[in-house]
Amino acid sequence: MWETAGTAEKSNGSMTAEMQITKTAQSRLDQVDLENPGFGVVFSDHMFEINYNDGEWQAPVVGPYRALEIAPAISTLHYGQAVFEGMKAFYNEDALRVFRPEAHHKRFNVSCQRMCIPETDYATFINGIETLLSLDKEWVPKAKGQALYIRPFIFATDNYLAVQVSETYKFLIITSPVGAYYKEGINPVSLTTSEEYVRTVRGGVGTVKTLGNYAASMLPAQKAKNQGFTQVLWLDAVERKYIEEVGTMNIFFKINGTLVTPPLEGTILPGVTRDSVIQIAKDWDVPVEERKISIDEVLRRSKDGELEEVFGTGTAAVISPVGTIRHRDTTISINGDEIGPFAKRLYDEITGIQYGARPDRYGWIHTVQPERW
Ligand SMILES: *Cc1c(COP(=O)(O)O)cnc(C)c1O
């Protein structure tokens, strides 16, 4: 089934010099409905893989997407020593366009540091992505709102039940054609605070993309869903008062013309989309405040008619308007449960940059020109 296509000189980084590429003999593309790919349910033909052992990352290998053979005792399965990233590549007639891979790689390394995982270098990371995009260019869906989701991740592979830092790891990159993340699409989502659960505390691991955060969020998210809400709006774990973020999104409030978002003070995941929104808003001369905002303030601003818009930001949904927030026995409706003009303008600007319809004023796009494009 495998057909060896030889090796390629790809990286001049410190990690590796040569990449072994093995193309699939049988593409699965004809079994996939690229017009309705879902989110993260189908995976492209190839994946990227590097092992870490003897104190260093070994040569990278790109080969067919496949199941892995792992030992039952590997520490990831028991203790969760692992990290991940999530970014997207967009289709344009001229090239494939990856959104802010450097920012994602930087955060990947920060996550590695917190979880005692050896860091990776950018050259290897981006060469892996470029190689996958070249091999699987036909997997990038072409319609607006669709993209190829790129999932780099590293996990500990020591076959050992002691709780200790692993000496071996696997770094993989897989890709998946995706449609809109939320079933509601660009329609507003509904959020509820939780009186029972918290996401993280300062000093914990809430600022990095590591497995435990997401495992811990599943029960509260399930309860919110059972009550008819899309997601949980997290409050701080100490005072249970200040707003933090939502599921896998950061959150913004537009109050009297000013954009307000909770500050990065050790409990919030520093979103690349969050950072992009802040830069764009500042460029548009919209005042931005990164400050603590309590749920009580949000309810009061709403009552006083000062709360213009609320929206979440994240790679998956880009901008996700919030139409309803419930806190205890109070429920507010925002902008008549419609996407607001500012959220719409931001969505158009960011997706415009991503797909190439608008100028990339910030140098956020890494273009990839597959061979024989
Ligand atoms: C990934 C993530 C975000 C959004 O980050 P982006 O870089 O914008 O995709 C926000 N919150 C959490 C908890 C996340 O895992």
Side-chain angles (χ1 to χ4, degrees):
M1 230 188 83
W2 287 32
E3 167 195 311
T4 303
T7 57
E9 286 283 344
K10 275 283 182 184
S11 167
N12 346 313
S14 55
M15 279 166 72
T16 52
E18 264 196 0
M19 186 185 299
Q20 178 83 35
I21 299 174
T22 304
K23 286 188 191 168
T24 184
Q26 187 69 56
S27 173
R28 289 174 284 103
L29 190 58
D30 57 2
Q31 300 161 28
V32 175
D33 178 8
L34 261 200
E35 283 175 21
N36 299 292
F39 198 96
V41 290
V42 287
F43 300 96
S44 320
D45 280 330
H46 296 90
M47 68 186 206
F48 170 93
E49 180 175 350
I50 309 189
N51 294 324
Y52 183 93
N53 51 57
D54 300 328
E56 60 188 0
W57 290 106
Q58 306 297 316
V61 175
V62 169
Y65 180 89
R66 68 180 204 287
L68 300 172
E69 191 168 289
I70 48 169
I74 67 164
S75 46
T76 298
L77 292 180
H78 302 270
Y79 312 121
Q81 195 196 356
V83 296
F84 68 94
E85 262 306 320
M87 76 195 100
K88 279 175 172 174
F90 300 88
Y91 176 84
N92 174 288
E93 318 187 307
D94 299 327
L96 299 176
R97 302 166 65 84
V98 188
F99 189 67
R100 304 195 67 181
E102 282 192 60
H104 284 280
H105 179 257
K106 214 166 156 188
R107 187 173 66 191
F108 198 39
N109 273 344
V110 171
S111 297
C112 285
Q113 284 164 14
R114 180 63 180 85
M115 303 309 290
C116 288
I117 292 172
E119 292 178 35
T120 63
D121 65 52
Y122 183 65
T124 306
F125 181 85
I126 197 68
N127 284 339
I129 290 170
E130 288 186 353
T131 304
L132 289 177
L133 289 178
S134 295
L135 290 172
D136 291 335
K137 56 183 181 286
E138 303 298 340
W139 286 81
V140 185
K142 297 189 170 71
K144 189 87 195 285
Q146 300 182 329
L148 191 73
Y149 186 79
I150 301 168
R151 168 55 61 93
F153 58 110
I154 304 178
F155 61 97
T157 53
D158 273 10
N159 187 15
Y160 220 81
L161 281 183
V163 179
Q164 63 178 42
V165 175
S166 183
E167 289 180 354
T168 63
Y169 298 87
K170 249 186 205 309
F171 167 21
L172 303 187
I173 307 175
I174 58 176
T175 68
S176 171
V178 295
Y181 185 71
Y182 286 100
K183 282 194 299 288
E184 292 97 321
I186 192 92
N187 295 322
V189 297
S190 56
L191 306 178
T192 176
T193 59
S194 171
E195 300 231 57
E196 215 173 335
Y197 303 105
V198 295
R199 194 184 87 92
T200 189
V201 289
R202 208 180 283 192
V205 294
T207 57
V208 300
K209 275 180 137 52
T210 189
L211 283 53
N213 288 330
Y214 306 88
S217 74
M218 285 180 189
L219 179 63
Q222 192 180 52
K223 288 192 172 181
K225 213 156 266 166
N226 289 342
Q227 294 170 8
F229 295 91
T230 321
Q231 266 292 354
V232 176
L233 177 62
W234 293 113
L235 300 181
D236 77 276
V238 179
E239 297 182 66
R240 307 271 179 127
K241 198 167 139 185
Y242 295 104
I243 290 169
E244 303 218 308
E245 59 178 313
V246 181
T248 56
M249 293 194 297
N250 297 112
I251 192 151
F252 286 83
F253 300 87
K254 189 154 171 286
I255 300 170
N256 281 335
T258 294
L259 206 51
V260 180
T261 193
L264 304 177
E265 290 178 347
T267 54
I268 294 171
L269 201 289
V272 174
T273 320
R274 177 187 182 278
D275 179 75
S276 308
V277 164
I278 291 172
Q279 286 194 53
I280 291 170
K282 285 181 176 168
D283 263 9
W284 287 347
D285 292 326
V286 173
V288 180
E289 294 177 359
E290 292 179 70
R291 66 161 170 90
K292 281 192 159 77
I293 178 164
S294 67
I295 184 68
D296 290 336
E297 175 180 347
V298 170
L299 299 184
R300 176 166 48 82
R301 299 283 195 177
S302 169
K303 196 158 159 258
D304 294 347
E306 297 175 321
L307 182 63
E308 294 157 0
E309 298 187 28
V310 181
F311 56 87
T313 64
T315 294
V318 189
I319 301 287
S320 189
V322 176
T324 306
I325 295 176
R326 181 189 69 174
H327 177 60
R328 299 188 181 147
D329 47 17
T330 307
T331 301
I332 59 168
S333 171
I334 300 126
N335 194 47
D337 204 18
E338 299 274 345
I339 182 168
F342 189 70
K344 179 75 171 63
R345 189 176 167 211
L346 275 172
Y347 179 84
D348 290 344
E349 178 68 16
I350 295 175
T351 55
I353 293 170
Q354 289 173 332
Y355 290 93
R358 299 207 180 171
D360 176 22
R361 287 175 287 137
Y362 310 95
W364 285 341
I365 300 297
H366 180 94
T367 56
V368 179
Q369 235 115 15
E371 286 163 49
R372 300 185 308 276
W373 181 242

